[in-house]
Amino acid sequence: MEKETRDPVGAGARPLRRDAELNRRRIMQAAREVFAVRGLQATLNDVAHHAGLGVGTVYRKFPDKETLAVAVFTGELDEIAEMARAALAEGDAFVALAGFLEGALERAAHNRGLRELMRLGEFGGEGFARARREIAGHCESLVDSAHVQGALRDGVTAADIAPIAAMIDAVLALPESGSAALWRRYLAIILDGLRARPQGQSPLPVPAPGGGA
């Protein structure tokens, strides 16, 4: 009869890997919540406390705040890129573009860290740049489709989308004036200005940022 062999290292490896992955998920979720409320000045200590973990555990997974922020906000931008991609399936391109802008700005309204990141461009990384390219590409397709359908005023280009988002970000940065959803009022005004009119509109006075036609 063969003697039973044991592999204590292998037997313990799976639970350890499982625990490590669970800790990583806890850290990521905690970081999303902490950055959303406190912005980019939040520390790894803040994240560790919110996750209910020792700060050493966080540092073993993410050696500095930038590494953690890139991981968190790349995921956020991937989700926004998916929203833009899904909008392409809408039949009415103007409605799809407006819905995407409202949905993306809704996320930003509840995420201080995301607003600071987009405003300051403090962190980078290939995944982050890829997600931004995807969002820009989907927005360009939405703008082109809205023009083809005759729903978007002449002269508006995909290069206008980022400055529009920046205008709403400025509203979000204002002191509270009675309504946390005040930004929706100004988005509605902007969207009304983007819509094509049967009677025609005055041409836009200057080209879009970046030389867009």
Side-chain angles (χ1 to χ4, degrees):
M1 182 175 179
E2 292 186 8
K3 186 176 180 180
E4 182 182 358
T5 59
R6 298 183 181 274
D7 181 7
V9 175
R14 282 189 296 275
L16 286 174
R17 284 197 295 270
R18 246 191 334 266
D19 289 347
E21 179 57 23
L22 286 173
N23 281 343
R24 186 181 185 282
R25 291 180 185 179
R26 287 174 66 181
I27 292 166
M28 288 286 289
Q29 183 59 36
R32 288 183 75 150
E33 294 169 3
V34 169
F35 286 138
V37 174
R38 302 188 188 183
L40 297 178
Q41 79 271 19
T43 67
L44 290 186
N45 283 7
D46 295 329
V47 173
H49 179 75
H50 192 67
L53 296 169
V55 70
T57 301
V58 177
Y59 274 104
R60 281 194 293 275
K61 299 295 180 186
F62 300 96
D64 52 51
K65 183 172 72 174
E66 179 173 347
T67 303
L68 178 55
V70 167
V72 167
F73 290 112
T74 296
E76 293 276 2
L77 289 186
D78 280 339
E79 291 173 11
I80 293 173
E82 176 56 27
M83 290 168 55
R85 188 200 64 76
L88 295 172
E90 290 278 350
D92 186 320
F94 187 90
V95 170
L97 178 61
F100 164 69
L101 283 172
E102 183 174 8
L105 290 167
E106 172 76 30
R107 292 181 71 111
H110 295 93
N111 194 323
R112 178 178 168 184
L114 180 60
R115 296 197 306 274
E116 291 177 354
L117 187 73
M118 299 306 293
R119 190 186 313 136
L120 304 174
E122 189 171 336
F123 301 127
E126 176 51 35
F128 192 81
R130 172 193 48 72
R132 295 187 74 161
R133 287 195 300 269
E134 288 182 13
I135 294 170
H138 295 328
C139 284
E140 184 172 3
S141 296
L142 286 168
V143 166
D144 289 346
S145 295
H147 276 305
V148 168
Q149 293 176 6
L152 194 62
R153 72 179 293 170
D154 290 341
V156 175
T157 78
D160 292 309
I161 302 302
I164 287 170
M167 286 188 275
I168 299 300
D169 175 67
V171 174
L172 289 166
L174 291 173
E176 282 296 334
S177 55
S179 173
L182 186 65
W183 64 272
R184 294 182 188 277
R185 170 185 173 86
Y186 296 103
L187 177 61
I189 293 171
I190 291 169
L191 291 173
D192 191 58
L194 293 177
R195 191 183 294 276
R197 305 294 178 193
Q199 69 273 21
Q201 290 159 297
S202 300
L204 296 171
V206 295

